Structures are given as structure tokens and as C-alpha cells.
Amino acid sequence: MRTLLFLLRKEFLQIFRNKLILRMIFALPLIQLILLPYAATYEMKNITLSVVDHDHSEYSRKLINKFTTSGYFQLTDYSETYDQALDQVEKDVADLIIEIPQGFERDLIRESETKIVIAANAISGQTAGLAVAYSNLIIKDFNNDVRAEWLPQSRFNTIPVIEITGSNWFNSQMNYKKFIVPGVLALLVTLVGYLMSSLNIVKEKEVGTIEQLNVSPIKKYHFILSKLIPFWVLGLIVMSIGFVISFIVYGIYPEGSFWIGYLFAGVYLVALLGFGLLTSIYAETQQQAMFIAYFFMLVFILLGGLFSPTENMPDWARYLTYINPVSYLIEVMRMLVLKGSSFWALRYHFLIITGFAVVFNGLAIWNYKKTV
Amino acid sequence: MNREVVIKTDKLTKKFGDFIAASEITFEVFKGEIFGFLGANGAGKTTAMKMLIGISKPSYGKAQIAGFDVYKQTEQIKKNIGYMSQKFSLYEDLTIKENINLFGGIYGLSGKQIETKSNELIIKLNLYKEADKLVGSLPLGWKQKLAFSIAILHEPKIVFLDEPTGGVDPITRRQFWDMIYEAAHNGITVFVTTHYMDEAEYCDRVSIMVDGVIKALDSPAELKKQFNAISMDDVFLRLARGAQRGD
């Protein structure tokens, strides 16, 4: 116990003496939480639109107006021909083309039926899909307007209509930030826990100080605990800073209990630090450790559901997320912040992450040897 | 001779695959002795030493360090030895005092002992002004003296020094050897590897290792007589000339 205290004092002295790391610990949550939620948004507000209006009628103007006032589209230009509009797409000026044919209004009035062409730049499938979906909604709306105009007095609707009204639970305004902020918090905890712990131990290997510890009578668990505890504390400090920043900047705070959040993050950090330890056992230099860590971080984060929902992934990728500890933290953070889930609702998450903690640390202790 | 034996090895061998780094090393070291472990680069000195300090498992052979077995009692060995590696391995981002504190604590010294020892050491090395400076800012010679002092802080039975004076100026080397003598005088056995043949003359007994095998073992005077040489340098050259390994 006393040995551990000496080792812990050493670790904290070293961490607090490293001014760059200390600054990063505060700067990282601040910058990530302020930048990422604003930059990484799924909502599309600025789909650029090129209109080819061959009709120049009242109705065509109404339709275009409907598009531009929707808030999703931004009119870049009126083109004379479809080819001209396509040119705009090729130059990446426009995302979407609407071509209104000649006789649009006439056909609409005479035959109650007409056609328009919508063409989307599908380099980004997601953008194109959303642009077309928004367009469909707007055109449907336009349709209803026209119908209402023509049948103002009709009390009986000849066509039965099922109207779908939605209510969005847990995030009623569909606030994207409320979705991304808990994920970024999870990311921060992961970064500090995994990267810093693995690099720290490998540094001792590289400098040679670990040999001096290995020839001393310190116990294996002394060494491992002296490396786990400081980064466990740092991880929770970073998370707390993150909570404060997300409250101040976004007014976001967990609907559920803070304590469940800290408890989960606490267990999660033990798991992740064990993984960091395991990494550092196999890496001989900081360069190697950095590369291994980078590889896992990237996979963990991309498959963790931070930016792309795990539900969208193909089956094999979804199975991978089951063995990805980061995805559990992201999920728990979201459930706590958005839904206010109880401990009982999160029991399987707790169980699994505890399993991770036991396995990773078990392997690390098993593989760590006080020999060369 | 009925002196106490503190290191005793019998055919101690370390193989890495087909490569025999240290082959059937057999020798004894007595209490309070300064034992020089010589050999060219790559001769297997460090490998042999790592087996003795319990951080490398021998392939076969026997060895007892301070009465403890190198296979089963490595942790007891570690309590009874001090070690100073070839690579400087104090914490450069800690101050002199913090390093003394840490290593004193690891070896189980009490707070009071640490404080007394720490003060003694700072006076002895004349480091009052530097006591609260980071070790990284000290010149190499001072670092080495400090590392040695910290390696014997807990008064081990044996101290292992792996090329402790590499890259150090002659004056500091002389001072370093004064410290070694003092430690030996206080009953600490010193096991030291070195390249410098003038340092070999300072040892009570030396062994010379060539290609993983101990080729000669005796006091410097006896060795010189045996090889009809005027200096240890001469002895070493005659033995090491036939070496296959090296850099």
C-alpha cells in the first residue's frame, strides 16, 4: 500500500509537470465540444438549387417559392436549359435541379396532372437522398395547396387521406446537438483513458526507467494500479469538464442521474485503461503505441455510432459494435442525457462493460512481466 | 578462504534460439568484493547480468544471489540488490529529491530514513543548489553519481553496475570509483561491467568474457602474471582478439 502511494505520487508529479498534457486536458473537451456538434450535423439547411423554369407561370412561381421558403433550399440560379443547370451541378454550384416543363400550369388545370423533373447530385448519397425526400414533401404540400384552392367549398373529401402526424420522443425538437454532445463526451473519456495510459507506459520502456522498476521489489499490481489510477481520475475530470461545457454552451444536462453516468464511466475507464495497458505491453516504442492506438481509436469511433447510427450498418459491422466498448459508452451517455434511463434499464450495458474490464485487465496482468 | 559467498553461479546459460548469449558461466563473488565483469561489446555481459538480477530467466544452469535462487526467488533477490543500468534510468522529469523519495519508498525505507539519507546524499554529492532541480538538467557525470547513490540507498547486499562510467570524463570517473570503494568498504559487494581496462585494475578480481564464455578469472595482478602482460589492456587484447562476435 505504501509502495503504491509512492508510485502514485510520482505519476501525478509527472503528469502535472507536463504542461502540454495538462493544457490539452482542458483544451480538448472545450474545443471538441464546441466544434464537433456544430460541424458534424446531419440536418441539411443549405441544399443549393438550380431551377429551369420553361413555363414562367403563376403556379410554377408558386412551386419555386415553396422550395425557397422551406428553409432547406437555397436558390443559386435560374437556368435556361437543363444542360445549363447540369453545368452548375458539375461545377458543384448546385446540388439539385428542378425542371418545370412548358405547359406545367396548363396541364395542371386542364388535366389535373403534370410532371416535373428533379435531379440530384448523388456524389454524396446521403445528401441526394435527403434532398429528394425534402423535395417530395414540398411537392406534396404544394399538391395539397392546389387541391384546397380548387375545392374550397367541398365539405366531403372525395379522396380519403391518411395524414401522419409525428411526435418525436426524447428529443422533441430533433435537436441534433443533443444527440451528438453525449457522443463527444464519450469520445473524450475514451481519448484520455486509452491514449494517455498506453503512451505513458511505453514511454517508460523507451526511456529505460521501467527496467529500474522491474529490478526493484515492487509488486506487479503496484505498478499496474499506479498506472491505472491517475488516468482513471483524469478521465473522470475530463468528463466533468465536458458536462460543464455542454451545459454552459448548449444547455444540455443529463435527464437521468449523474451518478449512473459517473459509475458507468468509472467502470468503462477501468476497461479501457486495461486495454491501454495491454497495448503498451506489446508496443516497444511510443511510435508503435501511437499507431496501434490510432488504429483502434479510429475503428472504435467509426463503428461506435457517434456519427453514423449503428442501426444503419450491415449485419457484420453491427456484430462488430457488440465487441466495441466505445459504442456502449456512447449509447449509455445518450440514454442518460436524452432519455434519463434508470440503472435497471442500463443493466446489460453495465454487465457487458464490467466483462470488458475484467477481460482486458486480466489479460494485461497476465501478460505483464517483470522480465525482459 | 572462508569468506561469505554472495553470488554463486553454476553453468548458467542463456540461449536465444540457436544463439548462445551466455554459455555455462560459473563463478563466485565474495562479500565486500569489487568484481569486474569484463568483455567486448556483444560478449554477453549484459545478458549474464540480467539473469543475475532476476529480470531474465536462464535457459539452464544454477545461480544464487544473496542466497536466493534466480528461478524461484527473483523477488527476494530484488529486495537485496541495487542496480544501475547502462541506460540512465532515474526519472528526468522529477527533481533529485523526488527521485530519492521514490526509490527510497519503493525499497521500503521509512519516511525518516528517506529524509536522513536524502540529506546525507545531497551533502555528499554537493548538490544543495540542485536538490530541487529536475534530474534531466544535470550534467551526465552528476547523473551517474546520483544514480549510483540511489542504487545503494537501501543498503543492498550487492550492487550491479552495468557500464556505469560510459561517456563520463576521467575526473568524474575517478570520483565515481571512490564512491565504489566506499560502498565496498561498507560491506556492499560491487559487481561492475566495464570497457575501460584502467578501471579493471581497480577491481579485486575480474572475469573476462569472450563470445559468451568466461575465458579468464582472477585478480588483475595474477592475470597479468599469467598472460605475461604489462597491463590489463594487454591481457584483454590477447583474450579478445580471437572473438567472433562484437560490433
Side-chain angles (χ1 to χ4, degrees):
Chain A
M1 194 56 210
R2 196 163 159 271
T3 310
L4 183 58
L5 288 178
F6 275 102
L7 287 171
L8 282 176
R9 182 160 70 182
K10 164 212 160 229
E11 293 299 333
F12 279 111
L13 275 171
Q14 286 181 305
I15 292 168
F16 286 108
R17 201 152 281 162
N18 195 333
K19 294 279 176 279
L20 187 71
I21 294 228
L22 213 59
R23 267 184 236 135
M24 280 300 283
I25 286 170
F26 289 93
L28 205 70
L30 197 71
I31 292 169
Q32 292 213 343
L33 274 169
I34 289 172
L35 287 186
L36 283 183
Y38 277 110
T41 167
Y42 284 145
E43 287 173 290
M44 307 218 12
K45 291 212 168 123
N46 298 310
I47 304 168
T48 45
L49 183 68
S50 176
V51 172
V52 191
D53 186 358
H54 297 297
D55 202 40
H56 298 291
S57 59
E58 197 196 328
Y59 276 110
S60 74
R61 260 197 310 279
K62 265 190 190 163
L63 180 63
I64 294 162
N65 207 25
K66 197 106 194 149
F67 267 90
T68 52
T69 55
S70 68
Y72 298 117
F73 295 94
Q74 209 177 28
L75 186 67
T76 51
D77 70 311
Y78 285 100
S79 301
E80 290 300 316
T81 63
Y82 183 78
D83 286 340
Q84 233 175 51
L86 203 59
D87 215 39
Q88 296 295 318
V89 174
E90 277 168 6
K91 282 186 205 145
D92 222 9
V93 178
D95 298 318
L96 193 80
I97 304 171
I98 302 177
E99 191 182 22
I100 301 170
Q102 211 167 4
F104 172 76
E105 189 180 69
R106 190 193 59 216
D107 289 350
L108 195 65
I109 293 169
R110 276 198 207 150
E111 293 161 34
S112 299
E113 199 180 304
T114 185
K115 282 196 174 92
I116 65 167
V117 174
I118 289 175
N121 175 1
I123 282 182
S124 159
Q126 203 176 20
T127 313
L130 270 173
V132 171
Y134 287 150
S135 309
N136 279 334
L137 277 176
I138 290 165
I139 293 162
K140 195 180 142 204
D141 208 34
F142 175 75
N143 244 332
N144 288 341
D145 285 356
V146 171
R147 193 177 290 137
E149 216 175 285
W150 290 354
L151 305 163
Q153 282 91 25
S154 168
R155 292 178 57 198
F156 308 101
N157 219 334
T158 45
I159 310 156
V161 174
I162 298 171
E163 205 172 316
I164 300 165
T165 56
S167 64
N168 301 307
W169 278 81
F170 307 125
N171 190 356
S172 50
Q173 278 109 47
M174 292 284 270
N175 182 350
Y176 184 72
K177 290 179 190 81
K178 237 180 149 175
F179 176 73
I180 201 90
V181 162
V184 175
L185 277 173
L187 187 72
L188 284 170
V189 174
T190 308
L191 213 63
V192 172
Y194 180 43
L195 223 55
M196 286 183 59
S197 66
S198 58
L199 284 181
N200 180 287
I201 299 167
V202 179
K203 187 187 164 202
E204 292 227 20
K205 270 195 192 177
E206 224 173 51
V207 180
T209 46
I210 202 160
E211 201 175 63
Q212 200 66 47
L213 293 180
N214 283 341
V215 295
S216 80
I218 64 165
K219 302 265 187 303
K220 221 154 113 170
Y221 71 84
H222 283 148
F223 177 77
I224 288 175
L225 282 176
S226 80
K227 290 296 180 192
L228 291 188
I229 294 170
F231 295 107
W232 189 83
V233 173
L234 276 186
L236 292 182
I237 290 176
V238 167
M239 189 169 95
S240 309
I241 297 173
F243 272 135
V244 172
I245 293 170
S246 35
F247 180 72
I248 294 174
V249 179
Y250 304 105
I252 294 171
Y253 59 92
E255 294 289 329
S257 149
F258 267 109
W259 297 116
I260 298 176
Y262 276 98
L263 190 64
F264 191 86
V267 183
Y268 172 82
L269 272 169
V270 173
L272 207 69
L273 290 168
F275 192 64
L277 210 59
L278 206 55
T279 307
S280 70
I281 287 170
Y282 290 104
E284 288 303 322
T285 62
Q286 292 189 74
Q287 200 177 26
Q288 288 174 356
M290 195 68 202
F291 207 64
I292 298 172
Y294 185 75
F295 168 78
F296 280 110
M297 286 293 289
L298 212 62
V299 174
F300 280 171
I301 289 165
L302 289 181
L303 289 181
L306 177 59
F307 298 115
S308 46
T310 51
E311 288 83 354
N312 284 0
M313 295 175 184
D315 280 346
W316 60 267
R318 217 145 30 83
Y319 293 134
L320 279 180
T321 65
Y322 294 148
I323 53 163
N324 176 0
V326 179
S327 70
Y328 291 94
L329 183 67
I330 291 178
E331 219 171 287
V332 166
M333 283 293 192
R334 281 187 181 146
M335 284 168 87
L336 273 177
V337 170
L338 293 168
K339 261 169 135 176
S341 299
S342 67
F343 180 79
W344 187 244
L346 297 169
R347 63 192 183 280
Y348 292 117
H349 291 84
F350 268 97
L351 209 66
I352 292 167
I353 209 71
T354 308
F356 274 118
V358 171
V359 170
F360 286 149
N361 285 288
L363 282 175
I365 293 168
W366 181 269
N367 284 297
Y368 174 71
K369 299 233 158 39
K370 275 182 76 182
T371 51
V372 284
Chain B
M1 254 193 302
N2 53 357
R3 285 204 287 166
E4 190 188 335
V5 174
V6 287
I7 301 175
K8 184 179 168 61
T9 72
D10 185 15
K11 296 190 173 165
L12 197 65
T13 302
K14 180 78 184 185
K15 286 188 191 173
F16 296 105
D18 287 337
F19 179 72
I20 303 170
S23 172
E24 309 213 326
I25 293 170
T26 307
F27 64 89
E28 283 178 344
V29 179
F30 304 103
K31 186 173 190 294
E33 192 174 30
I34 299 174
F35 189 86
F37 202 57
L38 316 185
N41 289 328
K45 294 178 310 244
T46 301
T47 307
M49 190 184 251
K50 283 186 172 162
M51 288 191 282
L52 301 180
I53 60 176
I55 59 171
S56 168
K57 230 183 178 66
S59 304
Y60 64 86
K62 282 185 235 163
Q64 282 202 327
I65 312 299
F68 298 106
D69 183 67
V70 287
Y71 291 93
K72 290 178 208 133
Q73 295 171 300
T74 52
E75 294 309 297
Q76 276 101 318
I77 290 176
K78 287 172 186 174
K79 269 183 210 154
N80 286 289
I81 61 167
Y83 171 62
M84 180 181 163
S85 94
Q86 216 167 9
K87 247 179 173 181
F88 178 73
S89 53
L90 295 180
Y91 288 93
E92 303 221 342
D93 50 355
L94 295 181
T95 67
I96 293 176
K97 272 190 178 162
E98 286 161 356
N99 267 295
I100 296 173
N101 237 304
L102 171 67
F103 287 101
I106 285 176
Y107 284 96
L109 265 54
S110 72
K112 196 157 187 180
Q113 275 176 310
I114 293 173
E115 184 159 350
T116 340
K117 291 255 175 195
S118 166
N119 287 334
E120 273 173 27
L121 206 157
I122 287 164
I123 292 168
K124 197 168 102 188
L125 295 181
N126 207 357
L127 288 172
Y128 318 94
K129 280 185 214 143
E130 287 80 11
D132 290 311
K133 275 192 192 159
L134 298 187
V135 165
S137 66
L138 297 177
L140 182 68
W142 294 21
K143 282 186 189 172
Q144 295 301 85
K145 284 195 275 182
L146 182 67
F148 176 68
S149 306
I150 288 179
I152 56 168
L153 196 71
H154 58 292
E155 294 167 11
K157 289 210 173 100
I158 310 157
V159 64
F160 289 87
L161 309 172
D162 195 2
E163 287 173 24
T165 52
V168 171
D169 69 73
I171 298 171
T172 314
R173 257 170 67 198
R174 186 62 246 193
Q175 290 168 342
F176 196 92
W177 274 89
D178 285 340
M179 291 171 69
I180 291 181
Y181 275 127
E182 197 190 319
H185 185 73
N186 292 334
I188 297 175
T189 306
V190 180
F191 185 97
V192 56
T193 73
T194 181
H195 287 313
Y196 298 110
M197 287 308 132
D198 58 327
E199 290 187 350
E201 310 265 6
Y202 304 150
C203 299
D204 295 324
R205 283 193 307 147
V206 297
S207 73
I208 298 176
M209 213 171 166
V210 180
D211 290 349
V213 180
I214 292 184
K215 281 278 167 81
L217 196 168
D218 215 323
S219 67
E222 277 301 316
L223 283 177
K224 277 185 278 188
K225 215 193 282 173
Q226 196 183 323
F227 286 87
N228 198 13
I230 40 163
S231 66
M232 279 306 292
D233 219 31
D234 219 11
V235 175
F236 184 78
L237 282 174
R238 280 182 202 195
L239 281 167
R241 196 159 278 154
Q244 305 295 308
R245 293 173 0 203
D247 52 10

